[in-house]
Amino acid sequence: MDKNKILKEKYDWLEKDDFWKAFNTWVIKHDAVMRIAEEEGIVFNTPQILTSNENSNVAIYGKASLDGKDVWTTGEAAPENCKNPYFFAMAEKRWKDRATLMLVGLYHLGFYSEIEADGFEQPNKEDLQAETDNWKQYRDNPLGFTKHKQSKWSEVDEGLLVWIINNVDKQKYIKRAENELEYRAGLEK
């Protein structure tokens, strides 16, 4: 199922920077989600504050409606899951975005709002390309061996061994970065 195609067909006004893929998850900008909510006519009822304490933890719970369908969901923000210091605002954004995506049928397809996790931030295309180019050489041959150069692990530079041990997941990052670049290239056509 081509999820980005479904989204683009349903909301043809979306731009290529309004949604992207991060860690095999489709992510939509908060502003785009709010435009979807406005376009669809979603009604948000006043949420209830579930918790608010001296540690700045905020959780809210509320209902949103669309064409007679109601969803109840939460929004939360705390120092552990939010970079900015405006926890009430972030909790509200998360609540509204989740409710919107649920009501329009995108949440169950695996779409999330950018504000749901710090890891959902949109990657910078130039940084992504530089990072991919920088690590690509190590994907198939992390030690840089050729057919004519044989070596033993004991002869490998200690710094390189530390890098290999600490960067096992770089292979996944390289593949994700390559997929992201291919996807963006397809959108630009």
Side-chain angles (χ1 to χ4, degrees):
M1 173 188 339
D2 195 353
K3 294 178 183 179
N4 68 328
K5 187 176 179 181
I6 292 169
L7 181 66
K8 189 69 175 152
E9 286 174 358
K10 191 167 184 177
Y11 304 104
D12 62 351
W13 48 264
L14 284 170
E15 299 292 327
K16 65 182 177 187
D17 291 336
D18 287 334
F19 60 101
W20 61 93
K21 202 168 191 178
F23 307 108
N24 292 323
T25 300
W26 282 102
V27 181
I28 307 172
K29 278 187 177 180
H30 169 71
D31 292 341
V33 175
M34 288 295 87
R35 184 170 172 194
I36 290 170
E38 184 178 329
E39 185 177 290
E40 295 284 352
I42 293 175
V43 176
F44 298 99
N45 295 320
T46 304
Q48 298 174 10
I49 298 172
L50 295 178
T51 183
S52 175
N53 59 36
E54 67 278 352
N55 296 327
S56 301
N57 297 329
V58 175
I60 62 174
Y61 179 70
K63 178 175 86 168
S65 305
L66 174 65
D67 297 330
K69 178 182 176 185
D70 297 335
V71 295
W72 290 85
T73 190
T74 60
E76 70 290 317
E80 300 81 24
N81 68 8
C82 185
K83 289 181 190 176
N84 81 45
Y86 307 105
F87 297 116
F88 276 95
M90 186 58 69
E92 179 186 357
K93 285 180 178 182
R94 289 178 175 168
W95 165 64
K96 286 183 173 181
D97 285 5
R98 287 176 185 153
T100 298
L101 294 174
M102 287 176 187
L103 285 168
V104 299
L106 294 173
Y107 209 72
H108 75 279
L109 291 176
F111 285 93
Y112 295 89
S113 167
E114 68 178 326
I115 55 139
E116 296 244 24
D118 291 337
F120 287 169
E121 291 175 351
Q122 187 172 24
N124 177 310
K125 187 175 180 178
E126 289 76 28
D127 291 345
L128 200 56
Q129 183 65 55
E131 200 60 35
T132 301
D133 293 344
N134 189 29
W135 295 108
K136 208 176 217 179
Q137 63 181 320
Y138 296 104
R139 179 180 56 226
D140 298 321
N141 193 358
L143 299 176
F145 292 152
T146 65
K147 289 181 185 178
H148 306 293
K149 182 179 176 186
Q150 298 293 325
S151 186
K152 298 177 185 172
W153 284 107
S154 61
E155 297 172 356
V156 176
D157 177 67
E158 183 180 353
L160 181 57
L161 287 174
V162 169
W163 179 90
I164 292 168
I165 291 167
N166 291 329
N167 293 286
V168 171
D169 288 331
K170 287 292 181 190
Q171 302 304 323
K172 292 178 185 175
Y173 178 79
I174 291 167
K175 188 63 181 163
R176 181 180 66 85
E178 288 173 340
N179 289 342
E180 175 69 21
L181 290 170
E182 288 174 18
Y183 164 72
R184 288 182 179 216
L187 285 178
E188 290 173 1
K189 289 182 183 179

